[in-house]
Amino acid sequence: MSILTINHLLDHTQNKYLTEITNIINPLNTDTSINNYTTIVENIDKTIRELALTAMKNYFEKMDEDFFNSRNRKASYYVKNKRSRTLISVFGKFEYTRRTYECKSTGKYYTHVDRKLSLPKYDKYDPIVKAQVIELAANSNSMIKAGQIIGEKIYSSFTRNPNRKNYNISRQTVHNILKKINRFNPSINRKDTTPSILYIMADEKYINLQRSKKKKLMLKHIVSFEGIEHDSNRAVLKNKLIYSSHEQDIWVDFHNHLAKVYDLEKIRSIVIMGDGASWIKSGIQELVGAEFVLDKFHTYQAIENMTKVSQLNYAL
């Protein structure tokens, strides 16, 4: 970008952000602290954000104005009203005005800008912000943390201003965003070959619940694999499949899942490993040819516990 272009852009921004930068680059300024750098970054960020928000407002309103003046609109729609809408984007909060139209043939209402940009009614945060919230909540497993990080990011890419905390997205809002996610079933690829022996490890994890009579939920995990391979002295599970559910009949669902992946008639033996919980042992009743064995970790743990008891009895 040329200096002329930069100057042209800066002419459209508020001088309050540029004054501090001008003072810093002044040769007579003898201050050499890190605050000079952080102030420049912070004020450039504010300047760019104002430019972005102004551009988005102008584009949205031009989109509506072009549709309003189009032949298709004049032939098919009446103008019902013109209202403003506030939207929070990755650049911050801005407001734009757009018209709501009424179809001449059906009487149904149509808001061109919102429909064109796939902006759901009454949503305060735009789709990009919601996508970032969903991704971070999934990776961090924390709605509070996701709301804090994305909220502060909306306020500024970098700022020392404590007011950034006021932009935190509440846990309830994050929960509502996650609740509206369209769920999908992942495609299942059938294996070209089926092993004669299939190994299965099962375990559970308890998850804290909110706004529920039950304080905790047991999430069951099942991992199947065809054997162990070694890659650079590291053990790797061969053709690992992961299945999770909180339903009581997880083995029935997992059995159906396996049937889509393998030719079950070719599997001669299934080894189920776990800590001996009743729900894990019940897998041998659903999977034909299955047997249960205590996994290596819990075997060593049991031996260690028995050894400690024996040593304690001997000491007594």
Side-chain angles (χ1 to χ4, degrees):
M1 183 181 290
S2 66
I3 296 297
L4 292 177
T5 305
I6 294 176
N7 290 335
H8 177 71
L9 290 174
L10 295 182
D11 287 341
H12 291 79
T13 61
Q14 298 184 15
N15 291 330
K16 61 182 178 181
Y17 299 142
L18 304 180
T19 302
E20 290 188 66
I21 297 179
T22 302
N23 293 334
I24 290 174
I25 63 178
N26 188 337
L28 299 179
N29 185 353
T30 58
D31 181 17
T32 57
S33 69
I34 188 63
N35 288 335
N36 290 336
Y37 179 78
T38 56
T39 299
I40 290 176
V41 171
E42 193 170 355
N43 282 278
I44 288 177
D45 180 73
K46 292 177 181 177
T47 303
I48 293 174
R49 283 172 177 271
E50 281 206 357
L51 284 170
L53 292 174
T54 301
M56 292 183 73
K57 171 183 169 63
N58 292 340
Y59 279 126
F60 285 18
E61 293 181 350
K62 186 179 187 308
M63 186 186 303
D64 183 63
E65 196 66 26
D66 289 348
F67 180 74
F68 171 73
N69 294 318
S70 66
R71 291 183 179 181
N72 178 51
R73 198 284 306 170
K74 294 177 180 178
S76 305
Y77 295 94
Y78 300 110
V79 176
K80 183 177 184 295
N81 55 46
K82 187 174 184 179
R83 294 182 178 179
S84 62
R85 177 176 183 176
T86 300
L87 197 65
I88 300 178
S89 71
V90 293
F91 304 113
K93 181 167 65 174
F94 70 102
E95 185 178 288
Y96 63 96
T97 58
R98 77 279 192 255
R99 298 173 180 86
T100 297
Y101 304 93
E102 182 180 350
C103 181
K104 294 181 178 180
S105 59
T106 65
K108 294 182 177 180
Y109 298 136
Y110 172 69
T111 305
H112 178 71
V113 174
D114 296 359
R115 181 76 63 83
K116 186 82 171 180
L117 300 175
S118 296
L119 300 175
K121 291 182 180 180
Y122 314 119
D123 272 12
K124 183 168 65 172
Y125 295 95
D126 77 3
I128 296 177
V129 171
K130 291 191 292 184
Q132 291 181 338
V133 168
I134 292 169
E135 181 179 24
L136 185 56
N139 291 336
S140 65
N141 199 27
S142 171
M143 291 187 287
I144 295 177
K145 186 175 181 180
Q148 289 176 342
I149 294 176
I150 300 301
E152 292 185 17
K153 193 175 178 182
I154 291 171
Y155 180 78
S156 175
S157 300
F158 165 77
T159 181
R160 294 163 294 175
N161 193 331
N163 289 335
R164 66 184 185 275
K165 300 294 183 182
N166 298 332
Y167 277 72
N168 288 353
I169 303 173
S170 69
R171 180 168 57 182
Q172 184 60 50
T173 300
V174 174
H175 172 75
N176 293 339
I177 292 173
L178 296 175
K179 190 168 62 175
K180 293 180 181 179
I181 299 175
N182 293 327
R183 305 198 178 272
F184 65 94
N185 294 321
S187 59
I188 300 175
N189 297 322
R190 191 172 181 83
K191 300 292 184 182
D192 295 330
T193 60
T194 298
S196 59
I197 302 177
L198 186 67
Y199 302 92
I200 294 175
M201 294 189 296
D203 203 354
E204 70 276 345
K205 179 180 180 181
Y206 286 90
I207 301 175
N208 294 325
L209 299 178
Q210 299 175 1
R211 301 180 183 275
S212 175
K213 293 181 180 179
K214 294 182 178 181
K215 294 184 178 181
K216 292 185 178 181
L217 174 69
M218 185 175 74
L219 185 63
K220 303 169 184 175
H221 299 276
I222 299 176
V223 178
S224 66
F225 58 99
E226 300 176 11
I228 297 178
E229 299 175 324
H230 294 277
D231 181 15
S232 300
N233 297 324
R234 181 171 175 264
V236 179
L237 301 182
K238 181 180 178 182
N239 291 332
K240 179 175 63 176
L241 294 175
I242 302 175
Y243 192 88
S244 299
S245 176
H246 61 82
E247 301 294 341
Q248 293 294 329
D249 56 352
I250 183 173
W251 287 110
V252 175
D253 296 335
F254 181 67
H255 192 176
N256 294 332
H257 181 77
L258 282 181
K260 297 176 182 178
V261 178
Y262 296 112
D263 182 355
L264 297 184
E265 294 184 356
K266 295 182 179 180
I267 299 179
R268 293 187 292 100
S269 177
I270 298 177
V271 180
I272 300 177
M273 296 172 284
D275 59 7
S278 58
W279 78 267
I280 297 177
K281 289 183 176 180
S282 66
I284 62 177
Q285 300 172 5
E286 176 63 30
L287 302 178
V288 178
E291 61 177 332
F292 171 80
V293 297
L294 199 63
D295 62 43
K296 188 176 181 179
F297 172 80
H298 289 97
T299 299
Y300 285 170
Q301 187 182 63
I303 293 174
E304 183 180 359
N305 290 337
M306 286 187 294
T307 303
K308 288 180 179 179
V309 172
S310 299
Q311 291 176 346
L312 178 61
N313 293 335
Y314 178 78
L316 295 175

